[in-house]
């Protein structure tokens, strides 16, 4: 059964809608852990649109499972990551105008930069994951970059417009997991756009280590509470 990482960015998005102190992402992380999640994920964006530096520091103090910091390869952010010391960093592409992370890293095009950030983070005892599209070339380059962990972008699967397109994307994901494990990647995670309707098929893919889910869980929590939203997601994954 895959683990569940909960991305709490959108708790901070709501807080920032009023530039106030509530809801508190740290309190959200406490509830997620109490409900049984396996890790807390947050993205310290270069524009600090939701999660702030102080949130990351407070999360570091409070998180008892694992803290997975999503981040770009920007120098300043890498410095912060090394100082804060999350258990894991997930490198993602970042564009200012995007609403959310829109695609995977182009590891092939940016191999030197990514490899050097991977080794810098690893030297600070941080496990590094690369968020990539489920294609062989990106898996090969991730291995070359020395990451050891990848997260497959499930956006194409989640956004498929028909059942047959969805099934096709599921096969793409399955093959990517198999290929990555055969290439010596030791953890294959997945995320983006997963929700209560589409998570089961991905959770059933052999070899998937962890699913990282944010928007759908935080959205549901408005109606049933965060603890219940986590428990319902865990039930589906199981
Ligand atoms: N994994 C990564 C690398 C992401 O960037 C995101 C979005 O922040 C997620 C998972 C979660 O995506 P969603 O909010 O669509 O569940």
């Amino acid at each position: 059964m895959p683990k569940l990482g909960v991305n709490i960015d959108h708790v901070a998005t709501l807080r920032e809608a009023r530039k106030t102190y509530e809801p508190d992402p740290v309190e959200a992380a406490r509830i997620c852990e109490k409900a049984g999640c396996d890790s807390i994920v947050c993205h310290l964006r270069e524009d600090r649109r939701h999660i702030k530096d102080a949130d990351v520091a407070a999360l570091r103090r409070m998180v008892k499972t694992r803290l997975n910091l999503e981040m770009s390869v920007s120098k300043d952010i890498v410095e912060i990551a090394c100082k804060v010391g999350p258990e894991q960093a997930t490198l993602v592409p970042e564009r200012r105008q995007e609403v959310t992370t829109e695609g995977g890293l182009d590891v092939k095009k940016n191999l030197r930069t990514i490899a050097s950030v991977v080794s810098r983070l690893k030297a600070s005892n941080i496990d590094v994951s690369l968020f990539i599209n489920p294609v062989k070339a990106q898996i090969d380059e991730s291995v070359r970059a020395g990451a050891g962990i990848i997260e497959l972008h499930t956006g194409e699967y989640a956004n498929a417009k028909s059942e047959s397109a969805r099934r096709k994307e599921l096969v793409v994901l399955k093959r990517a997991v198999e290929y990555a494990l055969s290439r010596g990647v030791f953890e294959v995670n997945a995320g983006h756009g997963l929700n209560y309707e589409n998570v089961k098929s991905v959770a059933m893919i052999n070899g998937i280590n962890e699913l990282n889910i944010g928007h759908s869980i935080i959205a549901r929590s408005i109606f049933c509470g965060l603890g219940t939203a986590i428990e319902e997601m865990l039930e589906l994954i199981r």
Side-chain angles (χ1 to χ4, degrees):
M1 182 188 90
K3 293 185 267 192
L4 173 64
V6 182
N7 181 312
I8 54 165
D9 290 349
H10 292 319
V11 177
T13 302
L14 185 55
R15 177 189 65 191
E16 294 308 309
R18 280 290 174 96
K19 302 255 176 266
T20 177
Y21 61 91
E22 63 181 359
D24 178 8
V26 178
E27 177 62 7
R30 193 188 63 73
I31 295 168
C32 292
E33 289 195 324
K34 190 160 174 248
C37 80
D38 298 283
S39 68
I40 298 295
V41 188
C42 68
H43 186 171
L44 185 66
R45 280 186 165 268
E46 289 167 39
D47 64 12
R48 308 298 200 274
R49 69 173 70 156
H50 39 48
I51 292 289
K52 313 284 185 200
D53 301 51
D55 295 322
V56 178
L59 285 166
R60 173 60 301 172
R61 288 195 294 277
M62 175 270 158
V63 167
K64 294 185 182 61
T65 52
R66 279 182 304 118
L67 180 62
N68 177 0
L69 182 66
E70 273 186 37
M71 53 182 276
S72 70
V73 292
S74 118
K75 241 182 172 178
D76 297 355
I77 301 280
V78 173
E79 287 306 313
I80 292 168
C82 291
K83 225 182 263 170
V84 171
E87 278 77 13
Q88 185 176 321
T90 298
L91 301 184
V92 301
E94 203 174 298
R95 281 202 303 271
R96 292 279 162 122
Q97 284 77 23
E98 68 191 358
V99 174
T100 179
T101 316
E102 280 165 3
L105 283 168
D106 191 342
V107 190
K108 194 168 180 169
K109 194 167 154 204
N110 304 294
L111 182 62
R112 275 177 64 166
T113 310
I114 291 172
S116 106
V117 171
V118 168
S119 74
R120 175 85 214 282
L121 292 166
K122 278 179 153 183
S124 297
N125 279 324
I126 301 168
D127 292 335
V128 188
S129 171
L130 302 183
F131 186 48
I132 57 170
N133 292 332
V135 297
K136 280 186 175 178
Q138 296 298 343
I139 294 168
D140 289 338
E141 296 303 316
S142 299
V143 172
R144 285 181 73 192
I149 308 173
I150 59 169
E151 179 175 338
L152 299 175
H153 194 300
T154 50
E156 293 288 334
Y157 162 80
N159 297 326
K161 294 277 179 283
S162 66
E163 188 51 30
S164 72
R166 199 185 69 89
R167 273 205 298 271
K168 216 170 112 196
E169 292 304 329
L170 195 60
V171 172
V172 169
L173 288 168
K174 276 183 190 160
R175 293 204 174 130
V177 175
E178 275 168 25
Y179 183 70
L181 293 173
S182 79
R183 289 295 327 268
V185 173
F186 58 84
E187 276 181 15
V188 182
N189 304 322
H192 207 280
L194 296 179
N195 59 37
Y196 295 82
E197 304 298 320
N198 65 19
V199 75
K200 265 188 178 180
S201 308
V202 178
M204 279 162 62
I205 296 176
N206 262 335
I208 291 237
N209 172 65
E210 186 165 48
L211 301 177
N212 291 319
I213 307 179
H215 181 89
S216 180
I217 289 176
I218 303 305
R220 180 166 292 217
S221 75
I222 291 172
F223 301 112
C224 67
L226 187 51
T228 304
I230 301 285
E231 283 161 13
E232 288 180 7
M233 186 55 84
L234 282 170
E235 192 58 34
L236 288 169
I237 291 172
R238 279 176 196 135

